[in-house]
Amino acid sequence: MSLLDRINTEPPSARQDKNTPEANPALNEAARQIIANLESRMDKEPRLKTKEDRRAFLKKVIGLHRELIKNSDLNLTELSADLQNNTEQKKLYSAIEQEVLEIFDTNKQYYSRQEKAEIIEAVVSETLGLGPLDELINDSSVSEIMVNGCNKVFVERKGILEETPVIFFDDDHLKRIIVRIVSKIGRHIDEGMPMVDARLKDGSRVNAIIPPIALTGPTLTIRKFSEKGYTCKDLIKFGSLTPAMETFLRLCVEAKLNIIVSGGTGSGKTTLLNALSNFIPNDDRIVTIEDSAELRLQQNHVIICETRPPNIEGTGEITIRDLVRNSLRMRPDRIVVGECRGGETLDMLQAMNTGHDGSMTTAHANSPKDLITRLETMVLMAGVDLPIKAIRQQIASAFDLVIQQSRLQDGSRKIVKISEVCGIEEDLILMNDIFVFEQTGVHSQTRKVEGAFKPTGIVPDFLHKLEAKGLKVPIGIFGGL
């Protein structure tokens, strides 16, 4: 048997007895150096190069996980539910590590240091975490994870999509991870209810669908949130807006103007809404309403409300519209709705028009003008037979400011327009652009979008509202003066 074979097959204790100067004085320095170099190279060389390697590795991990659950004295369900701090996590990790090592000894399975570390870490993830997804969840460069069945996992990094080598053992393995995610917040997914929205512990947004409606197998989408909420200062560093635009938006929030953030999927609407919420005074009573709680308001007086899907019997559903109507009885200073996408838009307009100034929400639309059309459509979805003129009057009276957010072709996210809602004239809602982003081209080498933020020179009509609240507005930020 060669030295390399002995290193791979013999237990560490046997290697230590034979390959140390204390046990074998004849072992010279050159031999010890060879052994050290071999072990170092084995530890550094990636073993899981192909999907076949990963699937074989996952088969081993899942087998250990099942044996651990079957034979362990640890109540892993209760322990994992009680993890409150790093100390408890380390204790449980050590307990699982010890159990796995005992299984190795019982089954006479011997591995190198790298293999042992990889297997133990994977078993811990399989037992307490999200299995193969943990390495992507812990990767700060990943902003979104897209699982298309057990064999294809894509991520978004810096706005660019790329496929990863991560896989699941089979569709059942992926489905178990999905069930683990949704069950932690009291939600359910099966063939009778094959779609679900959920969130991770850190607030990351989760959507999952399974067969029979997902023909490619269980499909999971996770939109990660940063460990710390971004502020407008951070967005300035990212090139999403300018200091002048930040000053203007801060004054608008402090003056309790009603604001709606518009944009496409993945354009950064929720991130911007979070950043704007930092300008809300700390003594305001705020009610937030979302499908899955994602907003991270830092004020003291915040009530967080979340919708509830129907149970297995099809009853017990609580919609955003229900929560908006209920919030009016909670004496809010401001109402923040994560997204308006249906009949709740009518209730949001009613709230803004009946004294709840300073409220904010988001909606999907490609431009401020498209947003107005979408709002009209969503109001009609409430099932109330209102004439278009009345709906437009409600919209014009409710909203003061529209912020258009876009995800550009290079993956960057920018505020491309800040528009004032000026009122209604001849049944048409009038709007003025205050700030715009003008794209001039794309860099020939980096393919980065080139352009500049510009004020249009128009001073908003609601300027008197800001001044009436004692807010000093630097007129120069509007340009052309």
Side-chain angles (χ1 to χ4, degrees), residues 240-241 245 249 259-265 267-269 272 276 363-372 401-408 413-420 431 433 435-437 453:
S240 296
L241 72 164
M245 295 163 68
L249 293 176
I259 298 173
I260 183 167
V261 180
S262 167
T265 300
S267 60
K269 299 185 298 297
L272 178 57
L276 294 176
H364 281 81
N366 293 325
S367 70
K369 289 185 178 180
D370 288 345
L371 172 67
I372 300 301
L401 201 67
V402 176
I403 305 173
Q404 184 67 34
Q405 180 92 1
S406 290
R407 180 176 180 269
L408 305 182
R413 295 165 172 86
K414 298 183 186 296
I415 296 176
V416 294
K417 279 186 181 180
I418 299 179
S419 304
E420 174 195 14
M431 305 179 73
D433 295 336
F435 293 93
V436 297
F437 175 78
F453 296 98

Side-chain angles (χ1 to χ4, degrees), residues 1 10 26 29 32 42 46 60 112 138 149 156 162 171 180 241 261 269 303 413 423 435 460 467:
M1 181 181 291
E10 290 185 353
E29 182 64 28
R32 288 200 303 271
M42 290 164 57
K60 189 183 303 180
S112 69
N138 297 327
E156 180 186 80
E162 59 184 67
D171 283 349
R180 183 179 302 172
L241 72 164
V261 180
K269 299 185 298 297
I303 299 93
R413 295 165 172 86
F435 293 93
E467 294 172 342

Side-chain angles (χ1 to χ4, degrees), residues 125 129-147 153 155 157 166 168 177 181 199-206 220-227:
S125 291
L130 302 182
L133 289 180
D134 274 352
E135 65 176 278
L136 301 178
I137 294 291
N138 297 327
D139 186 344
S140 59
S141 69
V142 172
S143 58
E144 194 152 0
I145 303 168
M146 291 145 280
V147 183
V153 179
V155 297
R157 285 188 174 95
V166 174
F168 291 81
I177 297 299
I181 292 172
R199 68 178 184 279
L200 300 183
K201 185 178 179 180
D202 63 358
S204 297
R205 183 188 309 172
V206 176
L220 179 67
T221 307
I222 301 175
R223 182 168 298 169
K224 288 175 56 180
F225 276 15
S226 62
E227 294 180 1

